[in-house]
Amino acid sequence: MSDTSALPATSREWRLLSRPVGWPKSEDFALVEAEIRQPAAGEVLVRNKFLSVDPYMRGRMSAAKSYVAPFELGKAMQGGAVGEVVASAADGIAVGDHVLHFGGWREYATFDAKQAVKVDPDAAPLSTYLGVLGMTGLTAYAGLLRTASFKEGDSVFVSGAAGAVGSQVGQIAKLKGASRVIGSAGSDDKVKLLVEEYGFDAAFNYKNGSVAEQLREAAPDGVDVYFDNVGGDHLEAAIGQLNRDGRIAVCGMISVYNNTEPAPGPKNLARLIQTRGRIQGFLVGDHYDLQSQFVQEVGPWVASGALKYRETVVEGIENNLEAFLGVLRGDNTGKMIVKL
């Protein structure tokens, strides 16, 4: 245990006060001062440096049964974070180590050291362990290669393609020999980024017209793989362009996360019979066995610049909620990060 007398007595943390109906509102949340708890045996105290905000967090704000427990009302929310250990009562983790953990949405976190993964700030910037080399990167890797069974020569369509996951999906597909990669995004600047920096063969702004028509123009020979981050009209358009034995990996459906009524399903599901197509949802938590393979393959791509990434960085714990809402609005290019 280190000397913690120089540490502050309290830490700011975000709590959920009420479960949002539709679009989350500021009054559903509160930023409060909480006492910093010193670590008990087997625990560590971490000063967070970077926090992650992600679309899946919207689901945790609801009480509905899902694949992960809802946030508890009146208690600190959780999320990915990277920070420096400032006190340790655990073997194997020392003061000064940097760790990846899930005690986000707060400045300081005390938790069981078994929930911490040590990361090397010299091997890659700390923020990348929340994005391109973290959970979002593994999501892209597992969803494309395992769930969608990508193979060399496939034509790939990615929605939400300028986001943290989507931008990596498209680039991995190109690096592994895709015949064509198409992306959709929500602004002309993002479309330009996809083609000029990330190497997509084609991209379109879904706000500029019919998604189905724009996809037909961008993928005249159809698509073999669709990586779905959006749902709605994007999913229907992809089914319409799916080739024989095409595969759809459903990662997220951000277009319906704030709906108060069930969204209608695609009207053309019967086309899956003709194409022998497959739709499969997945969760990154089921694929952590790929973690070492993922880092071994993707790490050198990131280091060499073969795989590019962007981060949208928001400063300050007081802006954590606004950063999260920005992700739902699509304000971010690449991974949305909060820097403390």
Side-chain angles (χ1 to χ4, degrees), residues 50 82 119-133 302 309 311:
F50 294 95
V82 176
V119 296
D120 185 356
D122 296 323
L126 283 175
S127 59
T128 63
Y129 293 105
L130 294 174
V132 68
L133 292 178
V302 174
Y309 68 94
E311 294 175 340

Side-chain angles (χ1 to χ4, degrees), residues 23-47:
W23 195 266
K25 299 179 290 294
S26 59
E27 51 265 35
D28 295 322
F29 308 85
L31 180 62
V32 303
E33 293 274 349
E35 183 180 352
I36 295 176
R37 184 173 64 81
Q38 297 305 313
E43 292 186 325
V44 292
L45 170 60
V46 174
R47 178 173 59 236

Side-chain angles (χ1 to χ4, degrees), residues 281-306:
F282 75 98
L283 295 172
V284 67
D286 296 333
H287 301 281
Y288 281 126
D289 60 298
L290 292 176
Q291 178 71 34
S292 59
Q293 175 184 322
F294 158 68
V295 173
Q296 187 175 8
E297 186 167 20
V298 176
W301 287 340
V302 174
S304 70

Side-chain angles (χ1 to χ4, degrees), residues 30-31 66 79 86 104 127 133 135 156 164 167 187 199 208 210 213 219 227 237 247 295 309 313 315:
L31 180 62
S66 184
V86 293
S127 59
L133 292 178
M135 185 176 71
V156 178
S167 60
S187 74
N208 285 348
S210 162
E213 290 178 9
F227 193 102
R247 289 88 65 203
V295 173
Y309 68 94
V313 179
E315 302 251 356

Side-chain angles (χ1 to χ4, degrees), residues 29-330:
F29 308 85
L31 180 62
V32 303
E33 293 274 349
E35 183 180 352
I36 295 176
R37 184 173 64 81
Q38 297 305 313
E43 292 186 325
V44 292
L45 170 60
V46 174
R47 178 173 59 236
N48 286 329
K49 293 188 173 182
F50 294 95
L51 307 177
S52 177
V53 286
D54 304 279
Y56 81 86
M57 293 173 175
R58 177 61 185 87
R60 296 197 67 187
M61 294 170 188
S62 165
K65 186 176 180 181
S66 184
Y67 59 88
V68 63
F71 290 134
E72 292 186 59
L73 293 179
K75 294 190 176 181
M77 295 187 289
Q78 296 109 27
V82 176
E84 181 180 359
V85 176
V86 293
S88 175
D91 294 333
I93 298 183
V95 171
D97 285 345
H98 288 83
V99 296
L100 171 67
H101 62 96
F102 280 92
W105 288 84
R106 68 200 83 180
E107 293 174 305
Y108 286 80
T110 306
F111 54 91
D112 189 330
K114 293 176 183 176
Q115 298 170 359
V117 176
K118 283 202 281 189
V119 296
D120 185 356
D122 296 323
L126 283 175
S127 59
T128 63
Y129 293 105
L130 294 174
V132 68
L133 292 178
M135 185 176 71
T136 51
L138 181 60
T139 300
Y141 188 85
L144 177 68
L145 302 183
R146 179 176 279 175
T147 305
S149 307
F150 171 85
K151 60 184 183 298
E152 186 177 354
D154 279 344
S155 172
V156 178
F157 171 44
V158 187
S159 58
V165 173
S167 60
Q168 205 155 342
V169 171
Q171 291 183 83
I172 292 173
K174 289 293 289 184
L175 288 163
K176 285 190 162 289
S179 61
R180 187 168 176 81
V181 174
I182 304 107
S184 72
S187 74
D188 293 342
D189 286 342
K190 289 181 179 179
V191 167
K192 185 178 179 181
L193 174 72
L194 292 176
V195 175
E196 296 185 0
E197 185 167 332
Y198 293 155
F200 282 57
D201 296 289
F204 60 86
N205 181 346
Y206 67 85
K207 296 176 182 176
N208 285 348
S210 162
V211 173
E213 290 178 9
Q214 292 190 83
L215 180 59
R216 277 195 296 271
E217 184 176 337
D221 297 321
V223 297
D224 302 300
V225 168
Y226 170 48
F227 193 102
D228 189 16
N229 289 308
V230 174
D233 54 358
H234 282 74
L235 178 56
E236 188 167 292
I239 293 171
Q241 284 300 101
L242 204 63
N243 289 332
R244 163 113 186 223
D245 298 315
R247 289 88 65 203
I248 295 175
V250 181
C251 176
M253 291 192 173
I254 199 169
S255 69
V256 303
Y257 285 172
N258 293 308
N259 286 6
T260 55
E261 299 292 334
K267 297 190 293 289
N268 56 350
L269 279 174
R271 193 167 186 277
L272 295 175
I273 303 168
Q274 173 190 342
T275 62
R276 292 75 153 178
R278 164 166 64 87
I279 301 179
Q280 183 176 344
F282 75 98
L283 295 172
V284 67
D286 296 333
H287 301 281
Y288 281 126
D289 60 298
L290 292 176
Q291 178 71 34
S292 59
Q293 175 184 322
F294 158 68
V295 173
Q296 187 175 8
E297 186 167 20
V298 176
W301 287 340
V302 174
S304 70
L307 194 152
K308 299 174 175 61
Y309 68 94
R310 289 282 189 96
E311 294 175 340
T312 300
V313 179
V314 173
E315 302 251 356
I317 186 74
E318 65 275 9
N319 295 314
N320 212 91
L321 175 60
E322 184 56 31
F324 166 71
L325 296 175
V327 170
L328 297 185
R329 290 191 298 262

